[in-house]
Every structure is written in C-alpha cells, then in structure tokens.
Amino acid sequence: MAEYYLQTENMAVGYDRKTLIHDICIRIKKGEIVTLIGPNGSGKSTILKSITRQLKLIGGKVILDADDLHGYSYRKLSTKMAVVLTERMKPEMMTCHDIVATGRYPYTGKLGILSREDEKKVEEALAAVHALELGNRDFRAISDGQRQRVLLARAICQEPDIIILDEPTSFLDIRHKLELLSILRNMAKEKQITVVMSLHEIDLAQKISDKIICVKGEIISYCGEPEKIFQGDIIRDLYQIDKGYFDPCFGSIELPKPEGDPEVFVLSACGSGIPVFRKLQKENKPFAAGILYKNDIDYQVARVLASEVVTEEPFREIGDRALERARTLMRQAKVVINAGVTIGACNQRMEVLLAEAEEMKHYVVYK
Amino acid sequence: MKNQNITAAQNDFHKANLKRNIRYMIVFLVFAAAFVWITVWNINSGNVDISMKEILRIIFFREGEEMNYNIIWKIRLPRILMAAILGGALSLSGFLLQTFFENPIAGPFVLGISSGAKMVVALAMIYFIEKYHVVSSYTLIIAAFVGSMISLGFILLFSRRISHMATLLVGGIMIGYICSAITDFIVNFAEDSDIVNLHGWSQGSFSGMSWSNVQVSVIVIGITFVLTFLLSKPIGAFQLGEAYAQSMGVNIRFFRVTILVLSSILSATVTAFAGPISFVGIAVPFLVKKALNTAKPLVVIPATFLGGAVFCMFCDLIARLAFAPTELNISTVTSIFGAPIVIFMMLKKKGR
C-alpha cells in the first residue's frame, strides 16, 4: 500500500476551464482527518468537488489508493468514496431509512432491492450516528441537525475508505456540531476511514483535525498540523482579520477594542476582571487594567480589550515601575473599578493601590 | 445494549416495511379492478347499444351479428386498448421528465414537447400524404420524436439559464404556443382532404384507432417501458440529486441522455397516434405517488403506467359519452380533471 491514501499532484481546479486554485499538493494518510479552512469563496468547495469528480480537473493529478482517480469507473469509485454535500435536497416522500439505504447502491443488484445483509448495514449506520429512532420519519420533516446525521449515515452505509464532507456543520447548533464531529473522529480512529472536509469553525477545525489546509484564493497558503497553523499570524493572514482579534491558542474571538485614552481603570485578579472588561467593551469605553501577572487569566482578555495593561512577571513581587504606572493611570481615570482582588504573598503591594483607590471620588466596587 | 437497540429498530422497520408493501398491493389491486371495470363499461357503452351477453359472445367466441361484431372488434376494442397504452405511456413520460428536471410539475404537455411533436407530425403528414398518399405509423412516430427532441433542446437551453421551476414552465408553455402557431399555419395551407384528418388529430383524440396502430404502439411502448423499469435503480439514485447519484456510481451523462430519449419516445408515440393530450403526465404520477406514499421508482413506474391507463380510459369514456353522439376532445376532459390537480400542487408547493 502506498504511504498516502489520497494525494494530489500539482492539481489545478476551477470552473469552465478557468483556474481558480493551482499547484495544490495534498498528501493524506489513511485514517486521517483533514480539514480545509479559509474565507468564504476561497475555493474550499471547488477543491472538494474536484476530488469527488463533480468537477473536471484543470491540471495535475489526483491519486487515490495508488491509482489515478480519473482512471476509476464511477462504480468502483463509489465503493471507495462517499460524500456529504452542502446542497439541500428535498427528496419526495422518502423516509430517513430510504435515504440511508441509497448508500447501499453499489452493492445491490440490478433493481436495487435490499438484502437482509443490506438492511442490517443500514441499521448499523443509523445506530452509528444515533439516529435509529428517525428511521421511519419523512426526511423532509426532520431538523437540519438530524438531516446532517442521516446523510452521514448514508455515507457510512456506503462503506467507503474515504468520506468527503462539504461544510457538514453549517446550519447546526453547537451541540449537534460537536456530536457530528465526534462521530467523525470515532469513525476515523476506529475504522480507519479517511475524512476530508471543509469547516467554517476554525476553532473546531483545530481540535478535530490531524492536518489542516488553508485555502486562500489562488493558492494553498499553508498546510500542516494544527499546532503549526494555529500560531502567530497565519490565521489572521488567511482570513485577513484586521478588525477584532482571534486567539489561536484558545480559538476564541473578540471584537475590536474601544479606541482612545483609558477612561476607566480596572483593578482585578484571577478572572474577576473579565466580566467588567467585556461590559466596558460593549459600552465602547476605553479602559486600562492592572496590575496583572502575565499568567493571570484576566491578562489573556485584558491584553486584547484594554488600551493599556500594567503587568508584572509571574510569581514576583510587584515592582516599583508597575506600581507607579498603575498609580498614574488610576489618577488619570474618570472612574476606578474594583472587580475583586485576591491578595497573596507576592502581590501585597496591591493593598497599597486599593487603599489609594478607596480614597478616590469615583471609586466603584463591582459585584 | 447497542445490539438490542438495533434489533428493536429492525423490528420496527420490518413492521413499517410490511405496512408499506400491503399498501402497494392494495393500490395495485384497486388499479387493476378499476382497469377491468372501466374496460367492461367502455365496451358496453356507446351510440349503439349492445347487450352484455352479446358482447361476451362476440369477444370470446367471435360470433354474432356482423355490425355489432365490427363495432366491438374494429372500433371499440382497439380504441380502448390504445387509450390504455397511450395513457400509460404519457404518464410514464411525465414521471421521467419530473425526475429529470427535479420538478413535480414538469410534463410533456406543459414543457411544449407534445406541441413540438405535433408540429413535425403535421408537416410529415402533409408531405407524405401529398407524395405517397399514405403515412406509416413508424414514420409518424419518428416525426413526433424529432419534434419532441427539438422542443426538448430549447427547454434544455432554457434550463441552463433558469433554475427556477415556474419560469422554466413559462418557457415550455411559450415553446408550446410557438409550435401550435406554426402547426395552425401549416394546417391553413394544407389541402382540404388533409385538414379533416389533421384537425381532429391536432386536438387530441383516441378515435379511429386500428389494430395495426395497437400493434405498433405495443411494440414501441412495451420496449420503452421495460427499459425504463430496468432503470429504476439509477432513477432512485437520481432522486437525491445529480451529485449524490454520481457518487453512488451512476454515469450521469449517459443516464441523463437515456432518460430524455426514453421519455421522448413515450410522449412521441402518444402524439403520433392521438395528438397532444394535456395534464395526464403531471396529474397521474402525482396521484400515484400520493396513493403509494412513496416515490420509489421500482413501484411507481409500473403503478404510474397502470394508473395512466385507467385515467385515460376513463377520460375517453367521458369524452365519448358525455354529449353523445358528439364527441369531446380528449384534452378537454383530461384538462378538467388534470388542471385542478396541477393548481393544487402549485399552491401546496408555495406553502412549504
């Protein structure tokens, strides 16, 4: 067996002989989960459609299981590859069971009548996506989340080695997103089924994928393990985020910080400041925060939202410089908010700051 | 635990499956009973009264009064059979077009395919009668097929640009009008003796059918029906959409062409013999699917054929008897029953 299950060599894809993305070289091992991410319209679907042969290649080659993809007959390909597409279909009068059963197509006889064995496979597929109870319901009458699971069951039922999914999580709420992705992960790891999909939720992509491919118009800008992709500015570059902030470590996003000189000074520690920071940001009031240790959870949010953060290195006593800067900012502020400060052995000098704050006119204790 | 769940679900499913199969059986039985009943009624009624006893004697022992014998064997029986065969063919053609366009109100009549066939058949009739004084059934079928393909070609051009189904239908209706206008134009310039033939035919009618007509249509439609039935599996896959069908191993390009050719042969045969007949192609598949509560081609294809046969025989009966001795056009009757159904379908579609 070849080292890679699916491999593209200088693949160029696009519509009507016009190239959209070129020089695509992807290498995917068996049982890997690979996710395509990128802004809307960057060509994720185009790549997926080219791999599933819905679109003709403009250049290059796709190699599936050591053979040229375009040398496969449709029939043979259907026993290796299954798809879950974005198009919303409205099949007439079909139960979910019927839909899933279509996955058995490559294995049934001339008239497509299901055998006992096929029936069992259908049930197993429905069970794998926790949709047994949906079997006899009309496909048009179920929710988006259920529909997506049924379509996944259909793909599983086809017993492929590789499943291609185009944005399987759109239209789903967070619970169903997680459910769907965990089913995919089980499938990939237990049955060694290769999964290639596109996702909009980069935070989820980071957590589920073995490999991530960043599609940015014309080219693949990055390709590799999520640990490498979710570092520094790769994601910001990919999506060209200039407003707001994306944290590659936690996968969290924040709206842009309020502009201007700080009007408020927030005293906090150990997470007490976060609700205050968010509230100030919503009211669009620029603020400063301090004195925070760099490993304090408040710091992670404050550095993104505050105009200025007074910091100290972890586990040290608060130094003169930090104290002086905090004092200055506090005096300049129109309001000083105490969000709750825990005081321990190192940060005893916070008491000095607090005492000074209590003397001030616009001192507020936030509860 | 998991296995238990599966077994329970399987039992559930088998119960549902059994229910479904019983339903299919009942529908087929009802259709078959209706078929027999309407056939008997049809033979039994007309401008000349013939007693039931004599009819049975004429059919099974081939003996009886000569005039009655001729009425039964030369007029009524071929007509009934043609109504059945052509009605089935028309409904099946509608079902195929609906599958192809993924649109429940597609059909050979509304898409202008029947009118295209009518136009070329009219041309062929005039040309061949003038030159050879006869036209063979096969010539007419081929002419109708060519005409169907011309209309279909335009529809396909439209459907590339317009994906909205209502607009596509407007396109089809326009094509229908253009073809009808050209046909009228041709008929105007045809010689008198031809016009008599053409006029009745271009309005749609099952009258004047001969046994040779029956023979030809049994052969052509029989073969097409069997081929269509054998395509049940890919048609079922196609109902999920083109992309899914392809991923299941269907050669889409080949399949699309096959479906169009089959549906055109069916509707062309109908038009060649009986002229354009409206709404049967839409109304019957819809009613049949509702009755069966499924769209599975394996059952819907034979049921649609049978249902179409019953529907057209019934409509022909009304056309003959309602204002006897004057006969109505078959389209007049099919429209009265079919058009409200189509309106109902469109209203329901909007609500969704």
Side-chain angles (χ1 to χ4, degrees), chain A residues 114-127:
Chain A
L114 299 180
S115 69
R116 284 257 152 188
E117 187 63 19
D118 292 323
E119 300 278 11
K120 222 181 127 207
K121 294 257 159 76
V122 173
E123 299 297 339
E124 280 168 7
L126 275 169

Side-chain angles (χ1 to χ4, degrees), chain A residues 52-54 56 74-75 77-79 81-87 89-95 97-99 102-114 116 119-120 123-124 127-128 132 135-136 140 151 154 158, chain B residues 2-3 5-7 9-14 16-17 20 95 98 104 229-237 239-253 285-286 289-290 292-296 298 349 352:
Chain A
T52 57
R53 274 176 78 177
Q54 281 178 62
K56 275 191 185 150
Y74 284 112
R75 209 190 141 70
L77 184 62
S78 69
T79 61
M81 184 189 277
V83 297
V84 176
L85 305 166
T86 30
E87 315 168 15
M89 56 171 177
K90 283 188 183 160
E92 273 183 294
M93 293 187 255
M94 286 177 91
T95 63
H97 193 283
D98 291 339
I99 298 279
T102 61
R104 297 305 299 163
Y105 188 97
Y107 308 99
T108 53
K110 259 260 165 287
L111 289 178
I113 296 165
L114 299 180
R116 284 257 152 188
E119 300 278 11
K120 222 181 127 207
E123 299 297 339
E124 280 168 7
L132 271 177
N136 288 323
R140 289 172 301 181
L151 286 176
R154 199 201 72 81
Q158 209 171 320
Chain B
K2 204 174 168 189
N3 273 334
N5 275 344
I6 292 183
T7 331
Q10 231 166 357
N11 284 340
D12 241 30
F13 170 72
H14 284 308
N17 208 21
R20 274 186 181 188
F95 173 72
Q98 286 144 28
F229 185 72
L230 291 177
L231 282 178
S232 295
K233 190 180 166 185
I235 291 173
Q239 284 171 337
L240 296 195
E242 222 174 275
Y244 277 110
Q246 188 189 307
S247 84
M248 288 179 231
V250 179
N251 185 338
I252 285 298
R253 218 176 262 194
F286 172 75
K289 277 185 244 169
K290 276 273 170 262
L292 292 167
N293 194 27
T294 185
K296 244 185 220 163
L298 202 60
K349 192 98 202 153
R352 255 180 200 280

Side-chain angles (χ1 to χ4, degrees), chain B residues 35-199:
Chain B
F35 186 87
V36 172
W37 180 60
I38 290 176
T39 310
V40 171
W41 188 10
N42 232 325
I43 298 175
N44 204 5
S45 49
N47 294 337
V48 181
D49 269 325
I50 308 172
S51 72
M52 197 63 209
K53 212 170 132 193
E54 204 182 345
I55 290 174
L56 288 177
R57 219 157 51 112
I58 288 171
I59 291 178
F60 291 107
F61 300 105
R62 297 202 168 220
E63 56 183 37
E65 201 191 320
E66 199 182 326
M67 192 187 81
N68 287 352
Y69 184 91
N70 281 342
I71 287 176
I72 299 279
W73 275 100
K74 296 213 168 129
I75 299 174
R76 289 193 192 163
L77 268 182
R79 179 172 185 160
I80 293 163
L81 284 175
M82 279 305 258
I85 298 165
L86 298 184
L90 203 52
S91 312
L92 194 56
S93 163
F95 173 72
L96 290 176
L97 289 172
Q98 286 144 28
T99 309
F100 183 88
F101 287 104
E102 294 169 41
N103 178 346
I105 36 184
F109 191 81
V110 285
L111 289 178
I113 297 169
S114 299
S115 306
K118 181 172 90 168
M119 179 179 76
V120 180
V121 170
L123 273 173
M125 268 191 181
I126 291 170
Y127 177 79
F128 281 97
I129 287 178
E130 207 157 279
K131 255 198 154 166
Y132 309 104
H133 299 285
V134 277
V135 209
S136 83
S137 302
Y138 287 108
T139 316
L140 290 183
I141 293 179
I142 291 168
F145 182 73
V146 171
S148 304
M149 282 316 217
I150 293 172
S151 287
L152 208 51
F154 279 107
I155 290 289
L156 287 177
L157 278 182
F158 281 149
S159 72
R160 289 225 164 160
R161 295 176 154 238
I162 315 163
S163 56
H164 197 261
M165 56 185 238
T167 328
L168 187 67
L169 292 187
V170 173
I173 290 163
M174 289 305 134
I175 291 176
Y177 274 118
I178 293 169
C179 292
S180 293
I182 296 174
T183 314
D184 287 346
F185 189 75
I186 298 165
V187 170
N188 263 329
F189 284 90
E191 281 175 30
D192 290 339
S193 58
D194 304 331
I195 293 177
V196 182
N197 255 330
L198 272 174
H199 201 71

Side-chain angles (χ1 to χ4, degrees), chain B residues 235-288:
Chain B
I235 291 173
F238 198 80
Q239 284 171 337
L240 296 195
E242 222 174 275
Y244 277 110
Q246 188 189 307
S247 84
M248 288 179 231
V250 179
N251 185 338
I252 285 298
R253 218 176 262 194
F254 176 74
F255 177 78
R256 287 178 67 118
V257 173
T258 314
I259 288 284
L260 285 185
V261 168
L262 288 176
S263 77
S264 291
I265 293 176
L266 289 169
S267 69
T269 313
V270 177
T271 311
F273 289 119
I277 299 173
S278 53
F279 294 111
V280 177
I282 306 175
V284 173
F286 172 75
L287 293 176
V288 166

Side-chain angles (χ1 to χ4, degrees), chain A residues 158-192:
Chain A
Q158 209 171 320
E159 299 189 307
D161 297 328
I162 180 168
I163 295 187
I164 314 271
L165 306 99
D166 195 359
E167 284 171 24
T169 53
S170 11
F171 312 120
L172 302 192
D173 61 35
I174 185 70
R175 180 194 140 197
H176 289 110
K177 272 178 195 170
L178 293 174
E179 213 172 80
L180 193 86
L181 292 179
S182 68
I183 294 168
L184 283 177
R185 194 172 55 195
N186 287 344
M187 225 170 56
K189 298 311 157 199
E190 280 168 23
K191 297 189 182 164
Q192 285 291 300

